[in-house]
Amino acid sequence: MFSSTGSNGLYKAPLSKSLLLVPSAISILLTLLFQHYQKFFAYNLQAIKEDFQIWRLVCGRAICLDLKDTFCSSLLIYNFRIFERRYGSRKFSSFLLGAWMLSALFDLLLVEIAQYVFGITISSLPSGFLGPVFALFVPFYCSIPRVQVTQVLGHFSITNKTLVYILGLQLLTSGSYIWILALSGLISGICYNSSILKVHRILCVPSWVAKLFSWTLEPIFSSAEPTSEIRVGMGATVDIQRQQRMELLDRQIMMSQVAQMRRQRQQQGGMINWNRLFPPLRHRQNANYQDHRPSDQDTPPPTEVSEEQVARLMEMGFSRGDALEALRASNNDLNVATNFLLQH
């Protein structure tokens, strides 16, 4: 399974790993061994509204009772682990918590709208952690660049994001009323990501809770650092394999150049000249580009940096100076700048 940044397992993604293992294990046990307990995890709207069983908003929206939903949502969480690596476990968990709470409100609202407009009475919805999974498609669409991998029949492009969208479509078509969960999840993701509503400042995980979980659960669900050897998934095309190897080569070159620049900085003092690190990546013409060293005359003029992207990097904990230099050096590419800052 491939994500937009390649397959590196679940390193630095303990929350994603826990969401993969724990709900999936409980779902399989409920399906195979403890069917008589499934009623406690049913997302029964009628019981919530008429019998005030508010606890079903928690239990009914945590564990999937359909193994197809469990499988598809697990694959999507695995692909979306990139956001936990990029923003950290606390921000990632805050997004999931906010989307989970907002989607509960939108679930009830959309059910009432469907009954009022179309005359459809919906007494229950598919169970599981589906609202936040659909909400993650919002940052996936907005922040992950689209890279063409190959073409089918010469007209239809296959990108690094195609498989994720196919999985989302499969999950969307797995139940009769799952479209309500999908729509409420997407609306929740848009609301949480909105810079106008400022929902992320209200619905967030407190720092003391994040520290408590990092001390207790992170050692259990942490994964070992992957080896430097490139991992190629079964059934990968030649284009995907080549792309992964080139990404690995990029990282190795950047790391060696950064080490050299840091040694020079220790001897001479001053700031790392980021513009000397990125041009080989931007001006690459072929696989032998590491031998190419652009001269000062070939250096492009400084790129205008978006203040919004600078703010996003500063929210991740980087200084404004490093954020500006990384964005200028990466030609205002937020993903390239972020990946480099995270590695160094």
Side-chain angles (χ1 to χ4, degrees):
M1 188 64 58
F2 294 97
S3 68
S4 59
T5 58
S7 177
N8 292 320
L10 291 166
Y11 178 60
K12 291 187 178 180
L15 179 59
S16 300
K17 186 175 181 179
S18 65
L19 291 175
L20 279 173
L21 297 179
V22 177
S24 299
I26 297 176
S27 177
I28 293 173
L29 290 175
L30 288 174
T31 302
L32 300 180
L33 301 177
F34 305 104
Q35 294 91 342
H36 52 287
Y37 288 112
Q38 288 187 352
K39 60 183 179 180
F40 296 108
F41 295 91
Y43 193 7
N44 192 327
L45 298 177
Q46 185 176 359
I48 294 173
K49 292 186 290 186
E50 297 181 0
D51 300 332
F52 300 101
Q53 296 180 3
I54 307 299
W55 55 270
R56 290 191 180 274
L57 287 173
V58 178
C59 296
R61 305 178 64 250
I63 306 299
C64 293
L65 299 181
D66 190 331
L67 289 182
K68 297 192 301 295
D69 295 346
T70 301
F71 180 73
C72 290
S73 60
S74 298
L75 289 178
L76 288 171
I77 289 174
Y78 179 80
N79 278 275
F80 292 144
R81 74 198 186 282
I82 177 180
F83 297 113
E84 183 174 6
R85 290 177 178 172
R86 179 178 296 182
Y87 304 124
S89 296
R90 184 189 174 190
K91 280 194 174 183
F92 184 65
S93 60
S94 296
F95 179 90
L96 294 178
L97 175 64
W100 188 73
M101 296 177 67
L102 290 174
S103 60
L105 174 63
F106 289 121
D107 285 348
L108 300 175
L109 183 61
L110 289 173
V111 167
E112 294 298 327
I113 292 175
Q115 183 175 4
Y116 179 79
V117 177
F118 304 105
I120 303 175
T121 301
I122 302 175
S123 59
S124 63
L125 290 172
S127 302
F129 196 69
L130 301 178
V133 171
F134 282 111
L136 284 168
F137 275 97
V138 176
F140 181 75
Y141 175 80
C142 296
S143 62
I144 302 300
R146 178 179 177 271
V147 179
Q148 180 175 318
V149 176
T150 186
Q151 281 190 338
V152 178
L153 302 177
H155 299 286
F156 302 98
S157 298
I158 304 297
T159 71
N160 57 328
K161 303 170 72 171
T162 301
L163 184 57
V164 178
Y165 288 133
I166 292 176
L167 287 173
L169 182 62
Q170 174 65 35
L171 183 60
L172 179 62
T173 57
S174 64
S176 55
Y177 294 121
I178 203 170
W179 62 270
I180 293 181
L181 301 177
L183 185 58
S184 67
L186 292 175
I187 297 174
S188 302
I190 294 173
C191 292
Y192 197 89
N193 264 10
S194 173
S195 58
I196 300 176
L197 299 178
K198 306 293 184 182
V199 178
H200 60 278
R201 296 186 177 181
I202 302 174
L203 300 178
C204 62
V205 176
S207 59
W208 65 271
V209 175
K211 291 181 181 179
L212 177 63
F213 278 95
S214 67
W215 292 335
T216 56
L217 297 182
E218 187 171 346
I220 300 175
F221 294 105
S222 60
S223 300
E225 183 176 1
T227 60
S228 59
E229 181 182 358
I230 189 75
R231 300 179 183 270
V232 179
M234 181 177 62
T237 65
V238 176
D239 290 334
I240 294 178
Q241 296 178 27
R242 184 183 299 110
Q243 178 185 357
Q244 288 183 312
R245 292 190 177 95
M246 295 307 295
E247 290 175 356
L248 178 62
L249 184 60
D250 287 347
R251 290 195 296 269
Q252 291 174 344
I253 291 175
M254 284 192 297
M255 290 176 67
S256 63
Q257 291 179 334
V258 166
Q260 181 181 0
M261 294 300 298
R262 282 178 174 171
R263 287 194 297 269
Q264 295 178 0
R265 183 179 62 172
Q266 290 176 356
Q267 297 174 356
Q268 302 176 0
M271 188 175 182
I272 293 179
N273 187 359
W274 294 80
N275 290 319
R276 293 184 59 185
L277 307 180
F278 284 91
L281 305 180
R282 298 199 309 269
H283 295 282
R284 181 178 64 194
Q285 300 295 332
N286 50 54
N288 298 321
Y289 70 94
Q290 65 269 26
D291 297 330
H292 176 64
R293 295 293 184 272
S295 62
D296 295 337
Q297 296 178 353
D298 297 333
T299 304
T303 305
E304 183 179 354
V305 176
S306 170
E307 285 298 327
E308 181 180 356
Q309 293 183 343
V310 174
R312 291 182 64 179
L313 289 175
M314 293 178 65
E315 287 179 358
M316 301 179 202
F318 304 114
S319 67
R320 179 177 177 83
D322 285 348
L324 288 171
E325 292 294 330
L327 287 169
R328 291 195 187 103
S330 62
N331 199 21
N332 215 27
D333 190 321
L334 180 63
N335 295 285
V336 174
T338 304
N339 290 334
F340 189 85
L341 289 170
L342 286 174
Q343 292 174 4
H344 305 90

